[in-house]
């Protein structure tokens, strides 16, 4: 069962930290042995590291594009900037 937990939380299998948190929530209510519960608790720190990594990528993207955001060719500048910021927000 511990191998299943490890396999479920590999970064290659989870697309985002949000997905990892949802998986943790599903496992949370299952009555398990203490060893399995401890293994799940250790996964929380791994999920938080993945989330921090995602935040750093979004912050770097923001810093690179804040003065001249990449917008679509047919979008007005303000609307394009807002759309770009919203896309960054939804990546978190």
């Amino acid at each position: 069962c511990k191998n299943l937990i490890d396999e479920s939380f590999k970064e290659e299998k989870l697309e985002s930290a949000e997905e990892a948190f949802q998986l943790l929530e599903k496992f949370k209510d299952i009555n398990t042995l203490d060893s399995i519960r401890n293994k799940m608790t250790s996964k929380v720190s791994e999920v938080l590291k993945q989330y921090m990594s995602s935040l750093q990528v979004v912050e770097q993207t923001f810093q690179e594009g804040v003065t001249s955001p990449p917008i679509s060719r047919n979008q007005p500048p303000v609307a394009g900037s807002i759309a770009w910021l919203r896309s960054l927000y939804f990546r978190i």
Side-chain angles (χ1 to χ4, degrees), residues 25-36:
E25 280 293 313
K26 288 178 184 177
F27 280 115
K28 180 181 83 171
D29 295 329
I30 298 174
N31 291 329
T32 60
L33 299 172
D34 285 338
S35 61
I36 296 173

Side-chain angles (χ1 to χ4, degrees), residues 8-24:
S8 297
F9 282 93
K10 283 188 175 180
E11 284 189 43
E12 303 86 39
K13 292 197 172 213
L14 297 172
E15 293 184 17
S16 67
E18 180 181 7
E19 193 175 312
F21 280 122
Q22 289 172 349
L23 187 58
L24 278 173

